[in-house]
Amino acid sequence: MNPMRMSPLQSAADTPARPPATGPGRRVFLKVTAAAAGGLTLGIFSVDAAQAATAKAARSVAAGPEFTPNAFLRIAPDSSVTVIVKHLEMGQGTYTGLPTLVAEELDAAWSQLRVEGAPADAKLYNNLQWGPMQGTGGSSSMANSFEQYRQAGAAARAMLVAAAAARWKVPAEAIAVKNGVVSHGGRKASFGELATAAAKEPVPASPKLKDPKDFVYIGRHVPRSDARAKSTGTAIYTQDVKLPGMLTAVVAHPPRFGAKVKNIGADGLKGLPGIRFVVEVPNGVAVVANGFWDAKRGRDALKIEWDEATGFKYSSSDVLAEFKRLAGTPGAVARNDGDAAGALARAAHKLDAAYEFPYLAHAAMEPMNCVIRLDADRAEVWNGEQFQTVDQGAIAKALGLEPAKVTIHQLYAGGSFGRRANPNSDYVLEAAAIVKGLAAQGKRGIPVKLVWTREDDMQAGYFRPAYYHSLQAGLDADGNVVAWQQRIVGQSILDGTPMAGMIKNGIDPTSVEGAANLPYAIANLHVDLHSPQIGVPVQWWRSVGSTHTAYSTETLIDELAATAGKDPVAFRRTLLARQPRHLSVLELAAQKAGWGEPLAPGRNGAKRGRGIAVHESFGTAVAQVVEVTVDADKTFTVDRVVCAVNCGLAVNPDVVRAQMEGGIGYGLSAALYGEITIKDGGVEQSNFNDYRVLRINEMPAVEVHIVPSAEAPTGVGEPGVPPIAPAVANALAAVTGTRLRKLPLTLGA
Amino acid sequence: MPIFFVNKVRVDIAAGVPGDTPLLWILRDSLNLTGTKYGCGKALCGACTVLIEGQPTRSCQVPLSSIKLGTDVTTIEGLKTREALALQAAWEKLDVPQCGYCQSGQLMSAAALLAKNRHPSDADIDNAMAGNICRCATYPRIRAAIKDAGKSLG
Ligand code: FES
Ligand code: FES
């Protein structure tokens, strides 16, 4: 197949870059011409500058004065400490948290710290929780880096101290380091002054780490390293990358998943401004133009004829019907304790519930995008890169290169929520296919920015899978839970991806997490799974399996408590006696929320109520108490959320709080509104008008309480999400008696 | 040739630049003012908010052809009012941003609000800010930072 069926429609010369025109006192004006509409006119914030800085930094390393004790930091002659962060900064605070670890053990002043995203290198920047591969996700950034980045800082400190000891001819033990100053008695030296000598010291194999009681940064508030850039519009995202001669691509994706291009139908593009190339890619047709608007105008003018023979033809209702059918047959067993079926048959009270969860879009604020340039023997990528090793390998394969010949420049990501770590490297490979198509036309070396519109982002995939749960539980005559039987039906996220090896005995762990490891002490417990193959592209979504398992398990536990006539907190407490993390958050949230105390009355006699949910994901336990108000017309508001979290040692308590707030808001969007529906093989929603998300006026007051802990840190990026939907549903049930079993939540007309 | 001002710099648009091009893409692609973000292209998210004659406006919905001669456009790069500086200081102090992608737009809307009303109520904040989506749900901090900035202005 010739990936590129058309030659350039227009061959306007590349737009020459104009010099910056911002000098004070000069009478400056900028002229925007048609040719320049996609070009660089005013160079205020350009990646070129960032790259020049990097190149300069690289040169100074070559010149020798920088001290680079390991892959995680370097110290410049001006004493600045640059921390190389191996994880993507997509909002969760990696560019603050990991430098905090280095600063702590190095005893640096916070103002000395600089942050740089790591290049793709699975060896140096392996995710120690997943390895061997580099990537960000599973709330693992802090957990897997905690020792590693502290050790990196401690090693550098030991070498600086050794250099000072040699210079001053005193024992290393007699030397102090504080706030970036190395001293002995009255003698002082900066890191920069010692850098050259320190570089010659042997690198200690296992440097001594601080006693936690001596921490000056860990456990305290350190300001976010990216707050200023993100408050002044200077932070550079993939969407902002500008390279000399760069073109922008917008892609027409098929109206139904899996349909193929039969005829490009590009006649309508003739005469349109700025269009440069049209390239067929595996999942559609790319229009490559001088700038975004030209590309989009061109994309919208395509009259593509699709071959729908291979396309997905079904609707959400068909998917649900198939799920229900499967739920009537046994699945692959994920957990089997005791005899759940037998115990259920003998139970005094039985509950039988079925839950429906829709497909969900991630809808990160920055729609998917990727910048790539393919040269003779190498490729360069600019991306908010969440899955370095997977994407680097996939791009290399697609372009016929060695992985080492694919350089990835790390940028900020405008959110991700899992989306930028696609096991199939979908949008990244789409960008690669475009430059490959250009190369086939002899147009190598042109940088292309692929931009998905919001509509592409919402309709072209990937989605949190739809799920159906069937759950039966039994109580004995005294109200003790004696049986629990759960069947989960939904597409496997890992199936068919390079990570399919994680599927064991028919169980994709991402489908059952949160259910198969139910923390409640129930002797007879059975969980099984069906993973039907359905042609909808699916992917993890912030907190993955717990997005649905927390809902079914925490609402049913609540219902069991009500059936047993017990208080929901007391009921859970008994069942969690051997789960200290769960217990710690359950108690703290209940206490801080004033559980059991009367609520202030609602507006105009509206009814109010509380609900609680507790759930552990990625090692972090979170409990949330929600207060709702239900109006006479059955609309409701979520007024207040009291959240308790136990994530081990909270390295930066304010970032932990921010992640709980953010997780609650993200989870509420899905709980209240989130639903992607499929009709005849395509997505019905297109933008924020029909895929509603939470706005400021709908955000509840949130209070976050952190359980003090000296245990190793666990993640916080995702665990704030799972409890919110069940906590809201439990509060609504407390007010109305109605148990909602279908997401998004509505009390109905 | 339409002439307007972006951050006080005169911008001349040559004939031949398509009039349907939204201001957002003139700012981002032609003027390289990338602080103004693309989030939805449909006036639904507020990421592209700029001030036009001081009014918060979704630049994705402002075609070039509609911009009147001499119009004053302010983007995040040119936002230098006292209110804006107070807001940015509060944004930093309270660590408002997470991914940060929405924050230029949030700040533009908040600056317009404070310019009219130094001490907005929660309802005032809801009214002024409900058009700005934050998928990271930094809303509680945005609210707190607006109030904090208002206070610091006295
Ligand atoms: S991009 Fe203009 S409102 Fe969303
Ligand atoms: S900070 Fe991420 S969208 Fe607002």
Side-chain angles (χ1 to χ4, degrees), chain A residues 41 228 239-240 455 694, chain B residues 28 30 37 42 92 139:
Chain A
T41 314
R228 174 136 202 92
Q239 193 81 18
D240 306 327
E455 288 80 3
L694 202 77
Chain B
R28 291 185 52 82
S30 303
K37 300 300 190 215
K42 296 276 165 67
E92 272 192 74
Y139 301 128

Side-chain angles (χ1 to χ4, degrees), chain B residues 20-152:
Chain B
D20 70 339
T21 311
L23 174 61
L24 170 63
W25 298 103
I26 297 292
L27 295 173
R28 291 185 52 82
D29 279 356
S30 303
L31 302 178
N32 203 22
L33 295 170
T34 55
T36 306
K37 300 300 190 215
Y38 164 71
C40 72
K42 296 276 165 67
L44 295 164
C45 78
C48 66
T49 306
V50 299
L51 301 182
I52 294 187
E53 300 294 332
Q55 292 302 313
T57 307
R58 314 292 179 223
S59 64
C60 68
Q61 293 302 305
V62 178
L64 254 191
S65 58
S66 74
I67 302 176
K68 294 200 186 68
L69 182 75
T71 298
D72 246 318
V73 177
T74 307
T75 70
I76 185 78
E77 291 88 351
L79 192 68
K80 301 279 189 254
T81 58
R82 271 191 71 204
E83 289 85 10
L85 298 177
L87 283 164
Q88 284 166 328
W91 246 242
E92 272 192 74
K93 180 175 136 195
L94 300 183
D95 273 343
V96 173
Q98 289 189 28
C99 86
Y101 195 80
C102 73
Q103 298 296 346
S104 296
Q106 305 281 1
L107 280 152
M108 299 310 291
S109 293
L113 169 64
L114 279 197
K116 286 188 305 202
N117 178 357
R118 288 272 173 93
H119 300 289
S121 65
D122 282 328
D124 296 333
I125 293 175
D126 284 349
N127 274 335
M129 305 300 296
N132 289 84
I133 291 172
C134 176
R135 286 294 280 150
C136 302
T138 63
Y139 301 128
R141 288 169 191 241
I142 289 173
R143 187 183 297 283
I146 291 174
K147 291 182 177 175
D148 188 80
K151 243 183 236 139
S152 76

